[in-house]
Amino acid sequence: MTLEQLIAQARTALDTAIATRRQEQDALVALRSDDNLTEDAVRDQVERRDAADAEVTRRQAALEELEKEQRREDEVTALAARTVPAATRAPAYDRVARVGAEERTYRPDTDRRGAMFQSDIIARALGTEGDIEARERLDRHMQEERVERGNQLRAAGTGAFAGLVVPQYLTDLYAPAAQANRPFADAIRHHDLPSQGMQVNISRVTTGSSVDNQSAENAAVAEQDMDDTNLAIPVQTAAGQQTLSRQAIERGAGVESVVLDDLFRRYNTNLDGKLLNQATTGLSAVATAVTYTDTDPSAVELYPKLIEGLAGVEAALLDMASGENIAVMHSRRWYWLQNAMASTWPLITQPGVVAQTLGANYAQAYGRGVRGMLPNGTPVIVDNNVATNLGTGTNEDEVYLVDRQECHLWEDPDAPMYIRAEQPKAASLGVLLVVYGYYAYTHARYPQARKISGTGLVTPTFA
């Protein structure tokens, strides 16, 4: 597992701990407003709140330690970059040492969107009255680039990369293709993929031992031969490629890094999508369905189905349940739940949920861990890799309820990796970029997952 993945996992664990602490504090507030308050009950709840507080502190310390380690890695990487000869690297604009106080011709504080730069290019090309001044500015700018960026000078992009041109700071404004990325994959249990083999094997006890009362002294005691079944999990390979022209790489600005960034993000999106939707082994395929059929669906009617699903998760796991249940849903379902209004409340108060409050939204951005909690305190992960074309009308989504510790993902600590190959495309002046990685997963160590599905989960309407 990479350091970035460990940090993402630590953030999710901290979010969960914070949610639990909020639950315990809200429960304490609710308890103190109870007319039948007892000192013992308050003391017990204070102890639970303090224990949750300690867990938050522990999780926070773990995250800070990982982030400190990441910062040090970044420092070491930056230090290593300084040892590269100037002719082979292209430092960022704000990382270049200069003598005196001379300002750049084109700067983000005065020409943030590159309007002046573009106007000068047009003026020079058309030979307008401002051509002389434009030419001077462009020549001065190009000289600055030669001094600061050596032989990595980028004059202009070509073809599909026409917008990626110097000045260098403008390349940071490119708009990458939006991706659903990997919210679910970051929330579940991670393992390092073994260094060899194309299969992960797990032994599952399918027939347990037996214990019963002895019928009489010296009588035979209960005995049952245990038996296990091998759960074979295939190692899968995810890969993508892109061929770039040498012109785009050598005369465009940052083209190669932009393409690699897109490939890496699509790699993450593909992995997360397979965890949810892959035939036979994906979460949708292995989860036991809890059907919600309704021609006029409402959040109030959906909620009991969610509780039924959670009850099924616990019934399947029994003493193997970690208690770290999560609900996974599409963003359209999460906002539909927030849109709902209610005049009734659960009969039994829940830890961390103030009386007459149905759940909570933590206002987290997409892909940043727990987004909020259901009325019973279950954390919600919003993932737009959840399919929205299910059912007979191809307009339904699903809500998944799982113990996140029983959703297992093995990843190569170095994944995704990439290959930069020039020879295969040399005759056509092309450079082949390939991104790939190995992974394995299972949600079936125990048949615990539940999914809410049916006509009650058609495209939501907001009113």
Side-chain angles (χ1 to χ4, degrees):
M1 185 180 301
T2 65
L3 193 55
E4 289 82 358
Q5 291 168 342
L6 288 172
I7 290 174
Q9 189 173 358
R11 283 175 178 158
T12 299
L14 178 58
D15 287 339
T16 302
I18 291 173
T20 302
R21 197 271 180 193
R22 285 174 176 166
Q23 295 171 11
E24 300 299 349
Q25 176 61 24
D26 291 343
L28 179 59
V29 172
L31 184 62
R32 284 172 172 160
S33 64
D34 191 343
D35 294 336
N36 299 319
L37 175 67
T38 66
E39 184 177 343
D40 289 342
V42 172
R43 183 172 59 253
D44 291 343
Q45 185 56 40
V46 168
E47 290 177 355
R48 285 193 290 272
R49 191 273 315 274
D50 291 345
D53 232 348
E55 179 67 7
V56 170
T57 301
R58 187 176 73 83
R59 296 290 188 180
Q60 181 183 12
L63 176 59
E64 289 174 350
E65 183 64 27
L66 288 171
E67 290 177 335
K68 178 181 178 182
E69 185 176 342
Q70 180 66 66
R71 286 193 295 272
R72 180 55 182 162
E73 286 297 311
D74 293 341
E75 290 172 0
V76 171
T77 301
L79 183 62
R82 293 175 194 167
T83 65
V84 180
T88 62
R89 56 189 172 96
Y93 172 76
D94 59 353
R95 299 291 179 88
V96 177
R98 300 180 177 83
V99 177
E102 183 179 355
E103 297 286 359
R104 285 292 303 257
T105 304
Y106 304 108
R107 310 194 308 272
D109 58 330
T110 60
D111 188 29
R112 178 172 178 78
R113 297 183 181 276
M116 181 188 298
F117 176 72
Q118 294 179 31
S119 296
D120 286 349
I121 291 176
I122 294 172
R124 181 171 177 173
L126 298 179
T128 62
E129 293 181 359
D131 174 41
I132 296 177
E133 292 82 1
R135 182 185 297 272
E136 289 177 351
R137 282 191 295 268
L138 288 169
D139 288 345
R140 187 165 62 249
H141 165 68
M142 296 306 291
Q143 181 59 35
E144 293 164 353
E145 289 296 312
R146 292 187 186 96
V147 171
E148 296 181 3
R149 301 173 66 188
N151 67 356
Q152 296 296 313
L153 178 65
R154 301 291 185 255
T158 60
F161 306 102
L164 297 173
V165 296
V166 291
Q168 188 176 359
Y169 71 86
L170 292 177
T171 63
D172 295 334
L173 300 178
Y174 85 95
Q179 297 293 313
N181 227 296
R182 47 178 290 162
F184 178 59
D186 287 337
I188 61 178
R189 188 172 177 179
H190 287 83
H191 312 274
D192 284 348
L193 188 68
S195 59
Q196 293 181 323
M198 294 302 293
Q199 188 168 279
V200 176
N201 295 300
I202 295 179
S203 174
R204 291 189 301 171
V205 175
T206 51
T207 302
S209 60
S210 176
V211 173
D212 201 351
N213 292 343
Q214 189 179 23
S215 61
E217 295 180 18
N218 294 323
V221 298
E223 180 181 11
Q224 173 64 54
D225 292 337
M226 294 180 63
D227 192 14
D228 73 331
T229 299
N230 180 57
L231 175 60
I233 306 164
V235 174
Q236 303 186 62
T237 305
Q241 64 177 325
Q242 187 74 207
T243 300
L244 299 180
S245 69
R246 187 168 290 279
Q247 292 90 334
I249 292 178
E250 294 183 352
R251 301 190 64 82
V255 172
E256 186 171 354
S257 61
V258 168
V259 172
L260 284 174
D261 174 71
D262 187 73
L263 283 169
F264 287 149
R265 292 166 66 247
R266 288 182 185 275
Y267 174 92
N268 289 333
T269 301
N270 171 78
L271 184 148
D272 192 86
K274 293 298 188 293
L275 293 177
L276 292 169
N277 306 313
Q278 191 169 26
T280 308
T281 56
L283 186 56
S284 179
V286 303
T288 301
V290 176
T291 304
Y292 173 39
T293 303
D294 199 329
T295 57
D296 186 21
S298 69
V300 174
E301 294 170 338
L302 172 62
Y303 182 63
K305 297 295 183 179
L306 299 175
I307 296 299
E308 181 181 345
L310 290 166
V313 171
E314 184 168 307
L317 291 172
L318 298 176
D319 66 335
M320 297 307 298
S322 71
E324 297 186 44
N325 295 335
I326 57 173
V328 183
M329 63 185 70
H330 194 276
S331 62
R332 75 178 192 179
R333 193 58 52 196
W334 174 236
Y335 283 103
W336 179 68
L337 289 173
Q338 294 181 57
N339 175 72
M341 307 293 286
S343 58
T344 58
W345 294 270
L347 294 175
I348 300 175
T349 59
Q350 301 291 336
V353 181
V354 179
Q356 299 185 347
T357 298
L358 299 181
N361 172 36
Y362 292 163
Q364 290 282 359
Y366 179 85
R368 299 291 178 84
V370 176
R371 298 289 296 275
M373 65 178 180
L374 298 177
N376 73 326
T378 300
V380 174
I381 300 295
V382 173
D383 192 328
N384 281 10
N385 284 305
V386 172
T388 58
N389 60 346
L390 305 174
T392 56
T394 64
N395 62 345
E396 300 171 12
D397 55 77
E398 296 175 336
V399 178
Y400 304 105
L401 303 157
V402 298
D403 184 323
R404 74 180 190 90
Q405 294 296 338
E406 283 305 325
C407 294
H408 299 266
L409 172 61
W410 288 264
E411 288 188 275
D412 188 318
D414 297 323
M417 296 170 282
Y418 83 96
I419 300 171
R420 188 183 193 273
E422 300 184 10
Q423 278 306 119
K425 304 289 183 178
S428 57
L429 290 181
V431 176
L432 177 64
L433 303 179
V434 180
V435 167
Y436 74 99
Y438 306 113
Y439 69 97
Y441 73 90
T442 183
H443 312 300
R445 194 172 81 133
Y446 294 98
Q448 49 93 24
R450 297 295 187 271
K451 65 177 181 182
I452 315 302
S453 60
T455 56
L457 292 171
V458 297
T459 304
T461 56
F462 297 87

